[in-house]
Amino acid sequence: MADVFAEFCDFSTSEPLRQGDILEAIDINAAMWERHLMVITADCDLAFNKHHGRVTCIPLLTAEEYLLEMVVPRVRNRLVEKPVGELLKILDRIGGPRVSAERLRHWTTEESADSIIQALKLLEKDAVIARAAIESIQQLDASADELNQALRNLVDGQLGGDKPPTRKNAVARVLDPVREAYQRPPGDAMFISTFAASHDRGYFAYLRHLEQVWEPEVAIGPKHRDAKYKRISRLRDRYTHALVQRFATVFMAIGLPHEYEEARDVYFELMGDALK
Protein backbone atom coordinates (compact mmCIF):
# COMPACT_ATOMS: atom_id res chain seq x y z
CA MET A 1 0.00 0.00 0.00
CA ALA A 2 1.38 3.42 -0.94
CA ASP A 3 2.42 5.75 1.83
CA VAL A 4 0.06 8.62 2.59
CA PHE A 5 1.53 11.93 1.46
CA ALA A 6 2.39 14.36 4.25
CA GLU A 7 4.60 17.43 4.50
CA PHE A 8 5.66 16.65 8.08
CA CYS A 9 8.03 14.04 9.46
CA ASP A 10 8.79 12.23 12.69
CA PHE A 11 11.13 13.71 15.29
CA SER A 12 12.49 12.78 18.68
CA THR A 13 11.28 14.62 21.77
CA SER A 14 14.92 14.74 22.87
CA GLU A 15 15.84 16.93 19.89
CA PRO A 16 16.16 20.67 20.51
CA LEU A 17 13.84 23.19 18.94
CA ARG A 18 14.70 23.84 15.30
CA GLN A 19 13.51 25.63 12.19
CA GLY A 20 10.44 23.97 10.71
CA ASP A 21 9.03 22.80 14.04
CA ILE A 22 5.26 23.18 14.37
CA LEU A 23 3.96 24.63 17.62
CA GLU A 24 0.43 24.37 18.93
CA ALA A 25 -1.00 26.80 21.48
CA ILE A 26 -1.98 25.25 24.79
CA ASP A 27 -4.91 27.68 24.96
CA ILE A 28 -7.69 26.07 22.92
CA ASN A 29 -9.23 29.53 22.46
CA ALA A 30 -6.11 31.05 20.93
CA ALA A 31 -6.66 33.39 17.98
CA MET A 32 -6.18 31.93 14.53
CA TRP A 33 -2.91 33.87 14.17
CA GLU A 34 -1.54 32.15 17.28
CA ARG A 35 -3.13 28.69 17.22
CA HIS A 36 -0.53 26.92 15.09
CA LEU A 37 2.90 28.35 14.31
CA MET A 38 5.93 27.27 12.31
CA VAL A 39 9.37 28.21 13.62
CA ILE A 40 11.41 30.17 11.07
CA THR A 41 14.28 31.20 13.36
CA ALA A 42 17.46 29.76 11.85
CA ASP A 43 18.96 26.66 13.44
CA CYS A 44 22.30 28.41 14.03
CA ASP A 45 20.52 31.24 15.87
CA LEU A 46 18.77 28.71 18.08
CA ALA A 47 21.97 26.75 18.69
CA PHE A 48 24.08 29.80 19.64
CA ASN A 49 21.29 31.79 21.31
CA LYS A 50 21.54 34.60 18.76
CA HIS A 51 17.77 34.94 19.02
CA HIS A 52 18.05 35.78 22.75
CA GLY A 53 15.17 33.48 23.56
CA ARG A 54 12.74 35.02 21.06
CA VAL A 55 11.54 32.41 18.57
CA THR A 56 10.12 33.93 15.39
CA CYS A 57 7.21 32.07 13.82
CA ILE A 58 4.65 32.35 11.04
CA PRO A 59 1.01 31.31 11.48
CA LEU A 60 -0.61 28.30 9.84
CA LEU A 61 -4.23 29.17 9.05
CA THR A 62 -6.86 26.70 7.99
CA ALA A 63 -7.67 27.01 4.29
CA GLU A 64 -11.12 28.35 5.20
CA GLU A 65 -9.64 31.03 7.46
CA TYR A 66 -7.09 32.09 4.87
CA LEU A 67 -9.59 32.26 2.02
CA LEU A 68 -12.10 34.21 4.12
CA GLU A 69 -9.41 36.63 5.25
CA MET A 70 -7.35 37.09 2.09
CA VAL A 71 -9.16 35.86 -1.02
CA VAL A 72 -12.89 36.45 -0.53
CA PRO A 73 -12.50 40.22 0.12
CA ARG A 74 -10.43 40.60 -3.05
CA VAL A 75 -13.01 38.73 -5.15
CA ARG A 76 -15.84 40.70 -3.55
CA ASN A 77 -14.19 44.04 -4.30
CA ARG A 78 -13.77 43.11 -7.94
CA LEU A 79 -17.34 41.84 -8.38
CA VAL A 80 -18.92 44.84 -6.68
CA GLU A 81 -17.39 47.22 -9.22
CA LYS A 82 -20.10 46.43 -11.81
CA PRO A 83 -23.22 47.27 -9.75
CA VAL A 84 -21.53 50.29 -8.16
CA GLY A 85 -20.60 51.49 -11.64
CA GLU A 86 -24.22 51.14 -12.75
CA LEU A 87 -25.37 53.33 -9.86
CA LEU A 88 -22.73 55.94 -10.65
CA LYS A 89 -23.91 56.07 -14.27
CA ILE A 90 -27.48 56.69 -13.13
CA LEU A 91 -26.38 59.48 -10.79
CA ASP A 92 -24.40 61.08 -13.59
CA ARG A 93 -27.31 60.82 -16.01
CA ILE A 94 -29.86 62.43 -13.67
CA GLY A 95 -27.45 65.05 -12.35
CA GLY A 96 -27.53 63.51 -8.90
CA PRO A 97 -25.11 64.10 -6.02
CA ARG A 98 -21.43 63.51 -6.74
CA VAL A 99 -20.27 60.73 -4.46
CA SER A 100 -17.34 58.36 -4.57
CA ALA A 101 -17.75 54.70 -5.43
CA GLU A 102 -16.68 53.82 -1.89
CA ARG A 103 -19.30 56.08 -0.29
CA LEU A 104 -22.01 54.85 -2.64
CA ARG A 105 -21.20 51.26 -1.77
CA HIS A 106 -21.28 52.07 1.93
CA TRP A 107 -24.66 53.78 1.52
CA THR A 108 -26.21 50.51 0.37
CA THR A 109 -25.24 48.92 3.70
CA GLU A 110 -26.90 51.72 5.66
CA GLU A 111 -30.30 51.94 3.97
CA SER A 112 -32.72 49.79 2.02
CA ALA A 113 -33.08 49.90 -1.75
CA ASP A 114 -36.47 51.63 -1.37
CA SER A 115 -34.99 54.38 0.80
CA ILE A 116 -32.12 55.04 -1.60
CA ILE A 117 -34.36 55.07 -4.67
CA GLN A 118 -36.74 57.45 -2.94
CA ALA A 119 -33.91 59.72 -1.80
CA LEU A 120 -32.57 59.93 -5.35
CA LYS A 121 -36.10 60.37 -6.77
CA LEU A 122 -35.52 57.66 -9.35
CA LEU A 123 -38.36 56.62 -11.64
CA GLU A 124 -39.20 53.83 -14.06
CA LYS A 125 -36.18 52.23 -15.75
CA ASP A 126 -33.63 54.03 -13.58
CA ALA A 127 -35.42 52.80 -10.46
CA VAL A 128 -35.46 49.21 -11.75
CA ILE A 129 -31.75 49.21 -12.63
CA ALA A 130 -30.83 50.95 -9.37
CA ARG A 131 -32.79 48.44 -7.30
CA ALA A 132 -31.06 45.52 -9.00
CA ALA A 133 -27.65 47.13 -8.47
CA ILE A 134 -28.31 47.98 -4.82
CA GLU A 135 -29.57 44.50 -3.99
CA SER A 136 -26.59 43.02 -5.83
CA ILE A 137 -24.17 45.08 -3.73
CA GLN A 138 -26.00 44.17 -0.54
CA GLN A 139 -25.80 40.47 -1.38
CA LEU A 140 -22.12 40.67 -2.31
CA ASP A 141 -21.31 42.56 0.89
CA ALA A 142 -23.39 40.31 3.14
CA SER A 143 -21.32 39.07 6.08
CA ALA A 144 -20.59 35.37 6.41
CA ASP A 145 -18.65 33.44 9.03
CA GLU A 146 -18.35 30.30 6.90
CA LEU A 147 -16.53 30.01 3.60
CA ASN A 148 -19.32 28.20 1.74
CA GLN A 149 -21.83 30.89 2.67
CA ALA A 150 -19.42 33.64 1.66
CA LEU A 151 -18.90 32.02 -1.74
CA ARG A 152 -22.65 31.58 -2.23
CA ASN A 153 -23.16 35.27 -1.46
CA LEU A 154 -20.65 36.17 -4.16
CA VAL A 155 -22.41 33.98 -6.72
CA ASP A 156 -25.94 35.09 -5.81
CA GLY A 157 -24.90 38.74 -5.73
CA GLN A 158 -23.96 38.57 -9.40
CA LEU A 159 -27.22 36.89 -10.39
CA GLY A 160 -29.34 39.62 -8.83
CA GLY A 161 -27.88 42.52 -10.80
CA ASP A 162 -28.94 44.08 -14.09
CA LYS A 163 -28.06 41.86 -17.07
CA PRO A 164 -26.64 39.11 -14.84
CA PRO A 165 -24.23 36.43 -16.11
CA THR A 166 -25.23 32.80 -16.35
CA ARG A 167 -24.90 30.88 -13.12
CA LYS A 168 -22.03 28.90 -14.64
CA ASN A 169 -20.09 32.08 -15.37
CA ALA A 170 -20.96 33.57 -11.98
CA VAL A 171 -19.61 30.47 -10.25
CA ALA A 172 -16.44 30.56 -12.38
CA ARG A 173 -15.78 34.19 -11.45
CA VAL A 174 -15.78 33.13 -7.81
CA LEU A 175 -14.04 29.77 -7.96
CA ASP A 176 -11.28 30.68 -10.43
CA PRO A 177 -9.45 33.00 -7.99
CA VAL A 178 -10.00 30.48 -5.18
CA ARG A 179 -8.43 27.77 -7.33
CA GLU A 180 -5.60 30.18 -8.10
CA ALA A 181 -4.93 30.58 -4.37
CA TYR A 182 -4.30 26.83 -4.15
CA GLN A 183 -2.44 26.25 -7.40
CA ARG A 184 -0.47 29.50 -7.66
CA PRO A 185 -0.65 31.27 -4.29
CA PRO A 186 0.88 34.73 -3.98
CA GLY A 187 4.46 34.95 -2.81
CA ASP A 188 3.40 35.61 0.77
CA ALA A 189 1.54 32.32 1.28
CA MET A 190 2.01 28.60 0.74
CA PHE A 191 -0.47 25.75 0.89
CA ILE A 192 0.23 22.83 3.23
CA SER A 193 -2.12 19.86 3.14
CA THR A 194 -1.20 18.46 6.55
CA PHE A 195 1.37 19.51 9.15
CA ALA A 196 0.78 16.95 11.92
CA ALA A 197 -1.20 13.84 12.71
CA SER A 198 -4.92 14.70 12.85
CA HIS A 199 -4.22 18.09 11.25
CA ASP A 200 -5.09 17.42 7.63
CA ARG A 201 -7.80 20.01 6.85
CA GLY A 202 -5.59 21.92 4.42
CA TYR A 203 -3.72 25.03 5.58
CA PHE A 204 -1.94 28.12 4.36
CA ALA A 205 1.28 29.41 5.89
CA TYR A 206 0.97 33.19 5.83
CA LEU A 207 4.30 34.99 5.66
CA ARG A 208 3.32 38.61 6.30
CA HIS A 209 2.26 37.96 9.88
CA LEU A 210 4.94 37.18 12.45
CA GLU A 211 4.59 35.92 16.00
CA GLN A 212 7.36 35.74 18.58
CA VAL A 213 7.33 33.14 21.31
CA TRP A 214 9.66 32.91 24.30
CA GLU A 215 11.59 29.68 23.95
CA PRO A 216 11.22 28.73 27.66
CA GLU A 217 7.44 28.78 27.09
CA VAL A 218 7.67 26.09 24.40
CA ALA A 219 7.38 22.47 25.52
CA ILE A 220 9.39 20.28 23.15
CA GLY A 221 8.64 17.04 25.00
CA PRO A 222 5.49 15.37 26.35
CA LYS A 223 5.38 17.54 29.48
CA HIS A 224 4.03 21.05 29.01
CA ARG A 225 3.32 22.37 32.46
CA ASP A 226 3.45 26.21 32.50
CA ALA A 227 4.11 26.19 28.75
CA LYS A 228 2.14 28.30 26.29
CA TYR A 229 3.04 26.17 23.28
CA LYS A 230 3.89 22.55 22.64
CA ARG A 231 5.80 21.14 19.70
CA ILE A 232 3.60 18.71 17.79
CA SER A 233 5.52 18.02 14.59
CA ARG A 234 8.21 19.15 12.17
CA LEU A 235 7.94 19.95 8.48
CA ARG A 236 10.16 18.03 6.12
CA ASP A 237 13.23 20.01 5.08
CA ARG A 238 12.00 20.57 1.52
CA TYR A 239 8.88 22.40 2.71
CA THR A 240 10.68 24.26 5.47
CA HIS A 241 13.27 25.54 3.00
CA ALA A 242 10.58 26.51 0.49
CA LEU A 243 8.73 28.53 3.13
CA VAL A 244 11.87 30.24 4.42
CA GLN A 245 12.87 31.08 0.84
CA ARG A 246 9.48 32.69 0.22
CA PHE A 247 9.72 34.52 3.52
CA ALA A 248 13.08 35.99 2.51
CA THR A 249 11.65 37.09 -0.83
CA VAL A 250 8.72 38.87 0.82
CA PHE A 251 11.02 40.87 3.07
CA MET A 252 13.96 41.44 0.74
CA ALA A 253 15.74 44.72 1.39
CA ILE A 254 14.77 47.62 -0.83
CA GLY A 255 16.72 50.74 -1.63
CA LEU A 256 16.37 53.59 0.86
CA PRO A 257 16.64 57.29 -0.02
CA HIS A 258 19.80 59.31 0.59
CA GLU A 259 17.91 61.47 3.11
CA TYR A 260 17.34 58.41 5.27
CA GLU A 261 21.06 57.65 5.38
CA GLU A 262 21.84 61.25 6.31
CA ALA A 263 19.29 61.20 9.13
CA ARG A 264 20.68 57.90 10.37
CA ASP A 265 24.22 59.31 10.48
CA VAL A 266 23.04 62.39 12.39
CA TYR A 267 21.54 60.21 15.14
CA PHE A 268 24.82 58.35 15.52
CA GLU A 269 26.82 61.58 15.61
CA LEU A 270 24.56 63.00 18.33
CA MET A 271 25.07 59.89 20.41
CA GLY A 272 28.83 60.15 19.90
CA ASP A 273 28.87 63.84 20.86
CA ALA A 274 27.21 62.99 24.17
CA LEU A 275 30.19 60.82 25.09
CA LYS A 276 32.86 63.39 24.26
Side-chain angles (χ1 to χ4, degrees), residues 38-276:
M38 189 198 93
V39 175
I40 60 170
T41 299
D43 288 342
C44 64
D45 288 355
L46 292 168
F48 295 101
N49 198 34
K50 296 179 182 179
H51 64 311
H52 300 289
R54 294 184 293 271
V55 181
T56 302
C57 307
I58 55 174
L60 300 171
L61 310 179
T62 66
E64 180 170 335
E65 290 169 339
Y66 174 80
L67 294 171
L68 277 171
E69 186 78 15
M70 303 297 171
V71 179
V72 167
R74 186 169 66 248
V75 177
R76 180 187 294 120
N77 289 338
R78 186 174 69 250
L79 294 177
V80 84
E81 290 177 357
K82 180 176 180 288
V84 169
E86 291 169 350
L87 286 178
L88 288 172
K89 288 179 182 178
I90 292 174
L91 290 180
D92 184 61
R93 185 165 58 249
I94 67 172
R98 298 181 64 85
V99 295
S100 66
E102 182 180 2
R103 179 66 189 102
L104 191 58
R105 178 180 177 181
H106 189 62
W107 191 13
T108 66
T109 67
E110 298 172 330
E111 299 187 40
S112 66
D114 286 337
S115 297
I116 295 173
I117 290 170
Q118 185 176 6
L120 295 175
K121 299 179 180 179
L122 300 179
L123 301 172
E124 300 177 348
K125 185 178 180 180
D126 284 340
V128 173
I129 295 175
R131 180 181 299 279
I134 293 168
E135 292 177 350
S136 176
I137 297 169
Q138 291 172 337
Q139 182 70 53
L140 290 168
D141 278 339
S143 62
D145 295 327
E146 297 182 355
L147 179 62
N148 287 339
Q149 183 59 56
L151 298 180
R152 281 195 293 269
N153 288 343
L154 297 181
V155 172
D156 294 342
Q158 297 176 73
L159 300 177
D162 185 50
K163 299 178 181 178
T166 64
R167 184 171 187 86
K168 180 180 179 180
N169 287 340
V171 170
R173 291 173 183 173
V174 173
L175 291 187
D176 284 352
V178 173
R179 183 183 300 108
E180 186 84 3
Y182 280 91
Q183 296 179 346
R184 287 180 292 276
D188 58 8
M190 178 174 163
F191 177 74
I192 297 175
S193 62
T194 175
F195 59 71
S198 302
H199 292 79
D200 55 0
R201 296 173 56 185
Y203 303 83
F204 280 88
Y206 185 58
L207 304 173
R208 292 190 184 275
H209 183 103
L210 301 179
E211 291 286 338
Q212 285 200 320
V213 180
W214 284 107
E215 188 171 1
E217 296 178 341
V218 178
I220 60 176
K223 297 181 180 179
H224 46 79
R225 182 180 178 182
D226 299 327
K228 291 187 177 180
Y229 283 90
K230 59 181 178 180
R231 179 172 61 179
I232 61 172
S233 69
R234 173 177 294 159
L235 286 190
R236 297 182 185 277
D237 287 346
R238 172 177 295 183
Y239 303 102
T240 297
H241 295 162
L243 275 167
V244 172
Q245 183 183 54
R246 292 190 182 205
F247 176 80
T249 301
V250 170
F251 292 99
M252 283 178 65
I254 61 175
L256 298 173
H258 180 65
E259 292 80 5
Y260 163 81
E261 296 179 356
E262 290 181 340
R264 177 195 60 197
D265 293 343
V266 167
Y267 275 85
F268 171 75
E269 291 170 1
L270 290 174
M271 182 184 67
D273 290 343
L275 297 176
K276 293 178 180 178

